[in-house]
Amino acid sequence: MSTQTFEFQVEARQLLQLMIHSIYSNRDVFLRELVSNASDALDKLRIAALRDDSLGADVSDLHIRIETDPDARTLTVRDNGIGMSYDEVAELIGTIANSGTAKLLAELREAKDGAGAEGLIGQFGVGFYSSFMVADEVTLVTRRAGENGGTRWTSRGEGTYTLERLDEDAPQGTAVTLHLKPADPDDQLPDYTAEWKLREIVKRYSDFITWPVRLAPAPADGDGGGDGEAAALNSMKALWARPREEVSDDEYHELYKHISHDWRDPLETIRLQAEGTFEYQALLFLPAHAPHDLFTRDHKRGVQLYVKRVFIMDDCEALLPSYLRFVKGVVDAADLSLNVSREILQQDRQIQRMNRRLAKKVLASVKDLRTADPERYATCWREFGAVVKEGLVTDPDNRDAILAAATFATSHDETAPTTLKDYVERMKDGQSDIYYMTGESRQAIENSPHMEAFRAKGVEVLLLTDPVDEVWTDAVGEFDGKPLRSVAKGEIDLGDGTDDTSDAEREKLDQEYADVLGWLMERLADDVKEVRLSSRLTVSPACVVSDADDITPALENMYRAMGQEVPPAKRILELNPGHPLVRGLREAFAEREDRAGLAETAELLHGLAVLAEGGQPKDPARFVKLMADRLERAL
């Protein structure tokens, strides 16, 4: 046997300290890295044995074994994989010991193993060093499959490391033994010889890797036993990697509950397998119920990310747009550009491509659900429709797909919502616009004065009650060449040939009401920008509308709630010339010279119009006093 001692270079020592103290935010990941390295070694041996029959390696029971000795404070992760030769150990250690920091990180990002197991995660000399977060000394013993002699590497992670050739026949594979630091709960350093802790880490990070991870019983007397029956810690059931026909719905549902911590079954299971230059698999779930914090800033969103079945991170926001934040599931990529700790995704084209593909798949699944199972679709849209519609504003590329999946409440049917496509097919002859109205509830919209002419003429109106509806309708603008038009904005000309008022009659009315409209405009100049006769009212005496390009009062309130000051926009007061109150006001205006009482009537008429749309008068106390005085005089 020959032992050589090597000294870490200054740069390497700095990098090692950086990895131990800064790069990893959670000490538990050291075991993930060691298990991942072992899994890679098993993959490589399996491929090497297929390519070289003369290798003579035993591949009958490939596995990873974890051994602990609480008295000696050691933890060993052992595999019977490909192993390493003396030169390979020196080369891998040299990668970190002899490279500049920038060069090393560049090599780690660009490293590819085309001849071995394609797409294996990382590189041995990186995650291996995370062991020094929890160990005072690390010893590695390895023998490459097909060779006789072994190699031992030892270091305390400080200034030096030793390499030793072993003449005796070491077991095939690699064993990494950590001489653990004392447990220190105050420093968030658990006892990594505790069986419950090892089970927790393996279950969290390595549950789905291909090979069994076995935990050997701890020695009873501290004599280095632990040779009893080893229990498997991982399920090895990567459901997303198995054919659909081999997985039951119950298994999918159990995985969903494990991921989401939801006691209900998911509403829908979505599978996706991408092949080609960049391969990944996804298993996504649509929940049956919206979480209570779906619209809060602190809501955790995103799916779990795995690379080659090794858990990388929870709540990976980069893989799905924010308007699909309710989707749960797993994405398992063959290869991804990760940083050195595997904990932070780099924003690159692969991630963006996955984001687009997953979003399209989810939206297509929601659309298909509408025809395949209307009841489940109704549940999905009731729970998550409001958040999906955010994408109409934030994701123009998927706007058509969102509209195709969306349904909206409609005056055409009290219970069944409609798609925009079906609305267009039902449009009356001569109708050029898709009409909608926003409001707090269906009842409030249906009782609004703005709906009267549309109801009288049987013109369908979309009834939009989510806050986001105030925004997306302006952002989208049109569907299938048909403009989206609010029934509460601008002048309405239904243009269907059913208007009971001819052009001549309308012109006569304009002349008759010209004086009183001008007077009202003077009296209400502080509150309205225009007073005009209405073509949308059939029952109510008056209503207020916004100009075609003005924002609605509801949108004004939303902006103010977000802390943005918006200059108040004056509205337009529309009067129904066929209503007795309006006719009486015109006649009284023509007959009386003292119009002080009429001024109060004008103020009350405007206040009633504001109340009818769900707003409140500028001076509620004065409005109540005027109304009380009028009621008293009427008794």
Side-chain angles (χ1 to χ4, degrees), residues 238-258:
L239 300 185
W240 54 88
R242 294 163 56 187
R244 175 65 181 90
E245 58 272 13
E246 294 182 8
V247 185
S248 68
D249 288 340
D250 287 342
E251 288 179 295
Y252 281 137
H253 295 172
E254 284 304 314
L255 176 62
Y256 164 75
K257 292 173 183 177
H258 172 72

Side-chain angles (χ1 to χ4, degrees), residues 8-153:
F8 288 113
Q9 294 183 357
V10 174
E11 269 189 334
R13 286 201 297 270
Q14 292 174 349
L15 176 59
L16 183 56
Q17 293 304 308
L18 176 67
M19 296 185 69
I20 294 172
H21 299 295
S22 302
I23 291 180
Y24 291 97
S25 57
N26 181 1
R27 286 187 172 107
D28 290 354
V29 298
F30 85 91
L31 188 57
R32 178 190 73 184
E33 297 298 321
L34 294 182
V35 171
S36 297
N37 287 335
S39 177
D40 292 350
L42 295 171
D43 284 333
K44 289 181 178 179
L45 178 61
R46 177 176 57 83
I47 293 173
L50 290 173
R51 292 175 176 174
D52 185 1
D53 294 335
S54 64
L55 190 62
D58 181 8
V59 295
S60 60
D61 182 25
L62 297 179
H63 64 275
I64 301 163
R65 182 181 174 96
I66 300 175
E67 302 168 358
T68 63
D69 188 334
D71 293 335
R73 297 292 300 157
T74 61
L75 170 69
T76 300
V77 178
R78 188 186 306 276
D79 69 76
N80 56 348
I82 191 69
M84 291 176 284
S85 67
Y86 182 95
D87 291 339
E88 286 173 327
V89 173
E91 181 181 352
L92 288 169
I93 300 302
T95 301
I96 192 167
N98 299 320
S99 299
T101 302
K103 180 181 178 183
L104 168 65
L105 296 179
E107 288 178 358
L108 291 172
R109 282 193 287 264
E110 297 171 4
K112 300 291 180 184
D113 185 9
E118 293 79 5
L120 294 176
I121 308 168
Q123 196 167 330
F124 181 86
V126 184
F128 168 75
Y129 279 89
S130 64
S131 302
F132 288 105
M133 292 190 298
V134 300
D136 291 322
E137 181 176 299
V138 177
T139 300
L140 176 145
V141 177
T142 183
R143 178 175 67 84
R144 184 170 182 80
E147 298 184 359
N148 294 323
T151 304
R152 177 184 287 119
W153 178 95

Side-chain angles (χ1 to χ4, degrees), residues 203 207-208 239-240 248-269 283-289 304 306 314 326-330:
K203 188 70 175 175
D207 194 43
F208 302 119
L239 300 185
W240 54 88
S248 68
D249 288 340
D250 287 342
E251 288 179 295
Y252 281 137
H253 295 172
E254 284 304 314
L255 176 62
Y256 164 75
K257 292 173 183 177
H258 172 72
I259 292 171
S260 65
H261 309 293
D262 186 2
W263 57 270
R264 307 173 185 84
D265 289 339
L267 200 63
E268 180 73 354
T269 302
L283 183 59
L284 306 177
F285 301 97
L286 301 181
H289 186 73
Q304 290 187 347
Y306 286 72
D314 258 327
F326 57 90
V327 176
K328 302 297 181 183
V330 171

Side-chain angles (χ1 to χ4, degrees), residues 584-631:
L585 178 62
R586 178 183 64 82
E587 293 168 358
F589 176 82
E591 294 171 358
R592 299 181 193 173
E593 293 186 3
D594 181 8
R595 294 167 180 159
L598 292 184
E600 292 183 353
T601 302
E603 195 172 339
L604 285 171
L605 190 62
H606 175 255
L608 290 172
V610 172
L611 286 171
E613 70 159 6
Q616 79 172 29
K618 182 172 64 175
D619 187 346
R622 173 173 171 75
F623 179 84
V624 170
K625 182 178 184 305
L626 290 176
M627 181 62 70
D629 290 344
R630 287 301 175 97
L631 291 173

Side-chain angles (χ1 to χ4, degrees), residues 350-590:
Q350 290 178 341
I351 298 299
Q352 295 167 8
R353 285 165 55 197
M354 291 172 69
N355 183 298
R356 289 194 296 268
R357 178 81 183 274
L358 293 173
K360 289 182 183 298
K361 181 65 175 179
V362 171
L363 294 173
S365 298
V366 173
K367 177 187 175 184
D368 294 343
L369 196 61
R370 190 180 69 237
T371 53
D373 194 329
E375 186 175 343
R376 283 196 298 153
Y377 169 82
T379 300
C380 176
W381 199 253
R382 181 182 66 249
E383 297 293 326
F384 304 111
V387 67
V388 173
K389 286 186 288 188
E390 292 176 7
L392 294 171
V393 180
T394 61
D395 189 2
D397 292 340
N398 280 322
R399 186 171 288 167
D400 290 342
I402 297 172
L403 290 175
T407 54
F408 308 93
T410 171
S411 61
H412 174 74
D413 193 305
E414 291 186 3
T415 57
T418 184
T419 64
L420 290 182
K421 181 175 180 292
D422 290 340
Y423 178 103
V424 170
E425 291 175 354
R426 290 192 298 267
M427 286 173 61
K428 290 179 171 292
D429 292 340
Q431 181 181 342
S432 58
D433 299 329
I434 298 173
Y435 293 108
Y436 71 89
M437 184 172 176
T438 58
E440 291 187 358
S441 67
R442 181 186 183 108
Q443 182 180 10
I445 296 175
E446 289 180 329
N447 292 333
S448 170
H450 303 96
M451 292 287 293
E452 292 175 0
F454 294 88
R455 185 164 47 245
K457 297 183 178 183
V459 177
E460 184 175 358
V461 178
L462 301 178
L463 313 177
L464 310 180
T465 57
D466 293 319
V468 70
D469 294 327
E470 298 280 354
V471 183
W472 76 258
T473 44
D474 285 335
V476 172
E478 59 90 26
F479 174 79
D480 195 23
K482 306 290 192 299
L484 293 169
R485 184 158 185 198
S486 170
V487 303
K489 295 177 75 172
E491 293 195 64
I492 294 296
D493 179 10
L494 295 179
D496 58 358
T498 62
D499 198 333
D500 297 329
T501 305
S502 67
D503 291 341
E505 291 173 328
R506 172 64 63 181
E507 186 176 346
K508 181 181 178 182
L509 286 171
D510 288 339
Q511 292 175 352
E512 291 176 352
Y513 280 85
D515 292 341
V516 70
L517 292 179
W519 174 78
L520 284 170
M521 184 63 224
E522 292 178 6
R523 298 299 308 176
L524 301 173
D526 291 340
D527 301 310
V528 301
K529 65 165 65 174
E530 182 182 354
V531 181
R532 67 192 183 202
L533 297 181
S534 177
S535 59
R536 73 185 88 214
L537 297 174
T538 61
V539 178
S540 301
C543 70
V544 286
V545 300
S546 298
D547 221 347
D549 297 323
D550 288 345
I551 64 173
T552 64
L555 196 54
E556 279 187 37
N557 293 334
M558 285 174 57
Y559 282 129
R560 290 194 179 102
M562 293 186 292
Q564 301 182 31
E565 272 305 314
V566 180
K570 290 185 179 180
R571 313 287 300 289
I572 298 170
L573 177 64
E574 289 193 351
L575 304 180
N576 177 6
H579 194 279
L581 175 59
V582 177
R583 286 202 306 269
L585 178 62
R586 178 183 64 82
E587 293 168 358
F589 176 82

